[in-house]
Amino acid sequence: MTASPMSKGSNLPVDARVVRVELAWVTGAGVPDIDASALLLTEAGRVRDDGDFVFYNQPRHASGAVTHLGKQRGTRETTDTVEVDLGAVEGTVERIVLCASADGGTFGQVPGLVLRLLDAGAGTELARFDMAAGTETAFIGGELYRRQGKWKFRAVGQGYASGLAGLATDFGITVDDAAPVPSASPTAATPPVSPEATAAPVPPPPPVPPAVPATPDRQPSVPHSHPHPGAPRLTKGEERLPLDMRKRLSLRKEQVAVSLRKHGAAGVTARVILVLDASGSMSFLYSKGVVADVVERMAAVAAQLDDDGEMQAWTFASNPARLPDLRLGELPEWLRLHVRVGEMGLFRRGRKKGLEPSQVDMRDVGIQNEEQKVIAEVRAFVRDRPASAPTLVLFFSDGGVYRNKEIERELREAVEEPVFWQFVGLGRSNYGVLERFDTLPGRRVDNVGFFAVDDISTVPDAELYDRLLSEFPQWITAAGRAGIL
């Protein structure tokens, strides 16, 4: 059944829980390609971070509520579709703006441009909005918005001559400085959205407090006596930490030592490597400070296990990137500079402006899940830099694993290497072979551990370190008997 066409500015209630927003147009010679996207906005009319932009290169929102399903090309008509689970939209999201951009031309060159709102369950058409445009290269077709606890849909039809860069900037998406963006005002041919949808101005964010400066010279470590095997080690640089962070580190080191003694590994040393997922779905965990807290808690593991109290670190998504080594005395500055998730690369020209020399350009890292690449890079690092102690890799991810064969191959080949891989799932998602690896046969030793938690910030230190270090001592024993260590 085809719904009656909507006029620009009209609205209607939406009762379906899951809807699909289908953008359709007639293809042909000289017709530019069209890409659908969605922006999740707060009451202030802005995104919370770049993770609230769902498009072809970041196809799933961290909440799971909005998904870019992609294009379907027919003999005459092409569609690009975004699916929205209205029941799963976070309470802080008030509007979902349904956008489109034209690649290689303007919307005036696109015939038969129509936005269809469908009930994803029943397949019925709820709304239909035929759109006309001129020189615009970006377009807001419609929006889903809350009113008195109910969802409604409005036909918008607002174009942007400044393109996707102008549209994105209007709603708070970071755009590369190297690509100048003109004022993102709507085109004259398309009047602004009705007052009901007008966004309030957003106050500037509070200034970031100055971080503790890093000390350029690395002081030689001073030997300390230990009251008993496995007692917390005093490592260089801790005295430079802020008092509250130093106290947390001291308590956590003691808890790590307790966990090691509990599992029969008092006095064990290891090289500790940290791996952080930076795929698009992780953006919410970064913006909430969850990842920064994880890094601080893992610093205590390195402080206790590693002789020099340092961690090598990687971040990854589509590609891996090695981060500067994390030294305890520089922890606040390291968190500020290097605990970051992807920046939108739609308008990229050269290295992103404003980055310090030590920082990774996160656009090179991308947003997809390619765990096997960073696993291979860490393996190569360990082979090229042999150490007298075994290596413990602390690998944090929120799932979305799909390269199962490639990951399994890397981890099977790593069985004969002096490395234990401890994977930690942040939330309950698709962890694929990482979750199943413990049960896979055909390995001389079990070189992989895995557990997942719903919200790691609510897990007490004692429980977290117990789970994190429970299998590592068993592997040390088995690897020693097998001649791997």
Side-chain angles (χ1 to χ4, degrees), residues 222-477:
V222 180
H224 299 273
S225 60
H226 302 303
H228 58 269
R233 296 186 174 95
L234 296 176
T235 51
K236 60 182 179 295
E238 291 181 38
E239 70 282 353
R240 301 201 301 269
L241 293 175
L243 180 60
D244 57 341
M245 184 176 282
R246 191 161 71 242
K247 288 180 177 178
R248 290 196 299 270
L249 179 64
S250 178
L251 292 171
R252 285 168 172 167
K253 284 167 55 180
E254 176 60 42
Q255 188 57 61
V256 172
V258 169
S259 295
L260 289 170
R261 289 198 299 272
K262 184 185 298 185
H263 295 292
V268 164
T269 61
R271 172 168 53 189
V272 181
I273 293 177
L274 179 68
V275 180
L276 299 173
D277 186 350
S279 58
S281 58
M282 285 283 295
S283 59
F284 186 57
L285 296 179
Y286 278 83
S287 64
K288 283 182 63 179
V290 173
V291 179
D293 184 59
V294 164
V295 174
E296 185 179 335
R297 296 169 86 178
M298 294 308 103
V301 179
Q304 179 60 25
L305 278 175
D306 203 304
D307 277 342
D308 59 9
E310 296 181 4
M311 278 195 296
Q312 286 72 50
W314 269 260
T315 188
F316 80 96
S318 305
N319 300 295
R322 186 177 174 189
L323 301 172
D325 290 356
L326 195 165
R327 299 166 185 160
L328 285 178
E330 301 166 11
L331 179 57
E333 183 76 350
W334 199 95
L335 293 173
R336 183 182 72 84
L337 291 175
H338 307 302
V339 179
R340 296 154 55 235
V341 77
E343 295 125 5
M344 295 296 101
L346 295 174
F347 319 105
R348 175 178 187 167
R349 288 186 177 90
R351 181 171 170 83
K352 186 175 177 67
K353 289 186 177 181
L355 290 180
E356 297 196 12
S358 66
Q359 287 183 292
V360 169
D361 189 335
M362 295 300 291
R363 298 171 304 172
D364 293 333
V365 174
I367 59 172
Q368 300 290 353
N369 290 82
E370 299 282 352
E371 290 84 359
Q372 78 284 357
K373 293 181 182 179
V374 70
I375 293 172
E377 196 164 297
V378 171
R379 290 181 60 209
F381 170 83
V382 173
R383 286 196 303 270
D384 294 342
R385 296 164 181 80
S388 57
T391 297
L392 171 62
V393 178
L394 304 174
F395 196 117
F396 291 86
S397 168
D398 72 338
V401 173
Y402 71 102
R403 298 288 194 183
N404 287 290
K405 290 182 179 179
E406 295 89 340
I407 295 169
E408 181 177 345
R409 181 170 61 249
E410 289 289 341
L411 292 177
R412 281 190 180 276
E413 291 176 357
V415 166
E416 301 299 322
E417 297 166 354
V419 185
F420 184 77
W421 301 82
Q422 180 61 61
F423 293 93
V424 182
L426 302 176
R428 300 201 177 275
S429 187
N430 173 29
Y431 295 104
V433 70
L434 301 182
E435 191 169 11
R436 301 192 306 267
F437 205 80
D438 269 349
T439 62
L440 295 181
R443 293 172 297 146
R444 286 209 298 155
V445 296
D446 183 0
N447 61 329
V448 172
F450 173 86
F451 67 90
V453 293
D454 286 328
D455 183 356
I456 196 168
S457 61
T458 66
V459 179
D461 287 338
E463 179 183 343
L464 178 62
Y465 295 137
D466 271 354
R467 299 185 72 176
L468 200 71
L469 300 169
S470 63
E471 294 188 57
F472 178 54
Q474 300 171 26
W475 169 80
I476 289 177
T477 301

Side-chain angles (χ1 to χ4, degrees), residues 39-108:
L39 291 159
L40 286 75
L41 309 181
T42 65
E43 187 178 14
R46 305 274 284 186
V47 298
R48 294 163 295 183
D49 54 45
D50 288 352
D52 283 342
F53 185 24
V54 177
F55 67 116
Y56 62 88
N57 210 24
Q58 185 166 269
R60 184 175 173 83
H61 190 260
S63 66
V66 182
T67 306
H68 177 249
L69 299 181
K71 290 189 174 73
Q72 295 289 329
R73 301 186 187 274
T75 54
R76 186 171 180 272
E77 184 183 72
T78 298
T79 62
D80 198 6
T81 304
V82 172
E83 183 172 275
V84 182
D85 183 347
L86 296 171
V89 176
E90 297 153 295
T92 53
V93 174
E94 290 292 319
R95 296 163 56 200
I96 300 172
V97 176
L98 307 161
C99 316
S101 57
D103 184 13
T106 69
F107 277 99

